Amino acid sequence: MPNQCRFCDNPLKHKLVDLGVSPLANAYLNAEQTQQMEPFYPLRVYVCDHCYLVQLPVFQSSEEIFCDYAYFSSFSDSWLKHAETYVNDIIDRFGFDTHSNIIEIASNDGYLLQYFVQKGIQVLGIEPARNVAQAAQKAGIRTLEKFFGSQTADELAREGQYADLLIGNNVLAHVPDVNDFVKGMKIILAPDGIITMEFPHLMRLMAENQFDTIYHEHFSYFSFTVAEQIFEKHGLVIFDVDELSTHGGSLRIYARHAEDNSRHMGENVAALLEREAAEGFGNLEFYLTFNRKVRSTKRSILDFMIRTRNEGKTIVGYGAPAKGNTLLNYCGIRTDFISYTVDRSPHKQGFFLPGTHIPIYHPDKIKETQPDYVVILPWNLKDEIMRQMAYIRDWNGKFVTLIPEVRIYP
Ligand SMILES: [Zn+2]
């Protein structure tokens, strides 16, 4: 097994957390597949004792994981709103206009680029998942169906395609070769161009016990300190950073070429580096406390499930996100505890969750069956979901979230 740090090549010797064995979190099954053998892979996260990059070894190639990816970003209202706000803010701050070229890596179904297109700004999306890339093209968003890395970047550079704004949201964690990816970004960034990237913040993952955001497709987990080192190695400087509430706590970093001195350093950069150092992100011991916390959370989740079912009450799920699959498989929660889950995406309805084989229905199923508890698996969207599903209170139904700990909402 390749057990070397993907950033610095140091051998990986220390585990951050061991989540046992689990199927790929996006490997939804049809009815026929639930009768067959299903591959499970170890879900063990390591921390490099040299650079402190937190990471998982790669078990399947990115091609296998992403070529028919079921996640369509446009099915979340709050995510669309987040994208629209970002586009307006970035234009206000940096003055992009119809002369600008905007490139987004992992552009999904074009949910973000559409807001630039509406303003007449030229865009290019790069998206490897065939079905979502095709959905984007159909919607009129110019999209290249490809993986991004230094090779794709060289091809674009040869065609004279440089980015005034290069966006990469929720992609850095999914990249098997992080050095090649960041090297590619350096290649296609225009001399005075800006990179913005969003990724979940390891500081929040650890502080808020978000172990369910760990899954095989998610190869790396970044502190700001480590992200800064990776960019620096490839001739890029992070000159500003925002802390966002998305995905349970993300960072948005702003980077430029090391050679471009036209933008001054935001105060947030030094402040966040100091906060991470104070938390312990530069000490191995700090990372090694996480496993204990996760095990204790599993016991309290099972305690809730067992108690509730013993009282004869019913539990169903809301949502079929990847993170739900990590949690349910790690805790061993199947239809014995959660009868079914529902999802707004028609691409998931009629399928079954990997490993646990919990069926996925249309949200109307909840109205028909009137369960006592609805466990919100995408807890980061709980406010939106509780608003949409407020009617469960008509029969005294209650919402539940399980991360960072079991919480019941009356
Ligand atoms: Zn390392």
Side-chain angles (χ1 to χ4, degrees):
M1 191 169 69
N3 243 1
Q4 277 176 307
C5 173
R6 68 170 51 92
F7 174 48
C8 78
D9 290 330
N10 201 51
L12 296 174
K13 296 180 293 239
H14 305 280
K15 266 186 268 178
L16 178 84
V17 64
D18 188 342
L19 298 170
V21 291
S22 206
L24 296 182
N26 281 306
Y28 298 91
L29 307 169
N30 61 31
E32 195 192 325
Q33 288 168 319
T34 62
Q35 306 300 320
Q36 294 161 1
M37 214 160 61
E38 189 180 358
F40 277 58
Y41 304 86
L43 192 49
R44 277 185 212 119
V45 186
Y46 292 85
V47 55
C48 172
D49 62 14
H50 180 67
C51 72
Y52 297 114
L53 177 62
V54 168
Q55 57 198 295
L56 272 172
V58 175
F59 285 97
Q60 285 216 317
S61 74
S62 307
E63 282 80 2
E64 283 172 288
I65 294 172
F66 293 110
C67 277
D68 219 7
Y69 200 48
Y71 188 75
F72 282 75
S73 299
S74 297
F75 284 98
S76 162
D77 296 338
S78 62
W79 195 240
L80 285 173
K81 181 91 198 90
H82 174 72
E84 187 176 11
T85 306
Y86 162 82
V87 170
N88 291 329
D89 290 353
I90 204 87
I91 291 174
D92 280 351
R93 179 166 172 190
F94 297 104
F96 298 108
D97 58 26
T98 50
H99 301 288
S100 309
N101 191 29
I102 316 286
I103 301 181
E104 186 185 11
I105 304 166
S107 50
N108 202 275
D109 56 6
Y111 74 98
L112 185 146
L113 289 178
Q114 64 177 338
Y115 298 111
F116 287 107
V117 171
Q118 282 168 15
K119 293 173 196 293
I121 300 176
Q122 177 169 275
V123 302
L124 174 68
I126 303 171
E127 171 56 54
R130 195 179 313 117
N131 56 344
V132 282
Q134 283 169 358
Q137 281 155 352
K138 231 176 263 172
I141 316 288
R142 198 161 64 104
T143 303
L144 197 62
E145 199 183 300
K146 261 201 170 142
F147 278 97
F148 184 79
S150 62
Q151 196 189 331
T152 302
D154 281 333
E155 287 165 23
L156 290 169
R158 270 200 296 277
E159 294 166 11
Q161 289 261 21
Y162 292 96
D164 299 306
L165 173 62
L166 179 58
I167 306 165
N169 291 342
N170 300 302
V171 61
L172 202 55
H174 297 283
V175 170
D177 186 347
V178 73
N179 285 310
D180 184 68
F181 187 90
V182 178
K183 189 175 152 198
M185 290 201 296
K186 169 90 181 167
I187 294 170
I188 57 163
L189 186 65
D192 59 351
I194 291 165
I195 295 172
T196 75
M197 299 196 91
E198 292 177 20
F199 49 84
H201 190 188
L202 179 65
M203 188 163 97
R204 297 284 296 275
L205 186 155
M206 290 180 67
E208 289 158 41
N209 208 15
Q210 301 164 354
F211 68 86
D212 60 338
T213 63
I214 294 166
Y215 44 91
H216 296 104
E217 293 87 334
H218 212 160
F219 304 138
S220 309
Y221 303 81
F222 298 93
S223 65
F224 183 57
T225 311
V226 169
E228 210 225 7
Q229 286 170 28
I230 296 173
F231 275 68
E232 191 190 0
K233 182 180 166 181
H234 295 282
L236 296 164
V237 171
I238 298 179
F239 65 92
D240 204 359
V241 59
D242 297 331
E243 290 179 71
L244 310 174
S245 60
T246 48
H247 289 290
S250 296
L251 294 179
R252 178 187 292 147
I253 54 159
Y254 300 77
R256 56 164 169 82
H257 284 291
E259 302 81 2
D260 171 14
N261 292 316
S262 63
R263 303 182 198 281
H264 71 275
M265 205 63 156
E267 286 166 10
N268 292 348
V269 171
L272 185 52
L273 291 174
E274 273 166 36
R275 262 168 61 211
E276 286 191 349
E279 283 282 321
F281 281 86
N283 297 312
L284 185 63
E285 294 310 311
F286 167 72
Y287 294 89
L288 303 181
T289 58
F290 190 60
N291 208 14
R292 208 178 320 128
K293 196 163 154 183
V294 171
R295 287 179 179 185
S296 143
T297 308
K298 172 176 175 169
R299 291 192 298 269
S300 57
I301 290 172
L302 285 173
D303 184 54
F304 162 75
M305 295 278 164
I306 293 167
R307 215 164 4 92
T308 306
R309 297 294 291 128
N310 278 342
E311 288 165 10
K313 294 193 170 136
T314 51
I315 312 172
V316 306
Y318 185 98
K323 60 167 81 70
N325 291 328
T326 291
L327 182 129
L328 299 171
N329 279 295
Y330 173 61
C331 294
I333 296 167
R334 301 185 182 81
T335 50
D336 43 2
F337 288 116
I338 292 189
S339 326
Y340 63 84
T341 191
V342 299
D343 200 279
R344 284 174 76 194
S345 168
H347 300 276
K348 291 182 180 173
Q349 292 162 10
F351 285 80
F352 295 79
L353 299 184
T356 60
H357 296 197
I358 293 172
I360 309 166
Y361 296 114
H362 186 280
D364 285 352
K365 181 88 174 172
I366 290 183
K367 227 177 259 175
E368 289 161 29
T369 61
Q370 307 200 343
D372 297 303
Y373 292 95
V374 175
V375 174
I376 300 176
L377 296 168
W379 41 259
N380 51 312
L381 304 174
K382 69 175 186 321
D383 296 336
E384 177 182 345
I385 292 165
M386 287 198 270
R387 262 198 314 275
Q388 281 166 10
M389 306 289 293
Y391 55 78
I392 75 163
R393 297 190 169 106
D394 295 350
W395 62 81
N396 211 16
K398 293 182 177 73
F399 293 107
V400 184
T401 52
L402 304 175
I403 301 290
E405 61 201 356
V406 178
R407 281 184 194 150
I408 298 168
Y409 303 83

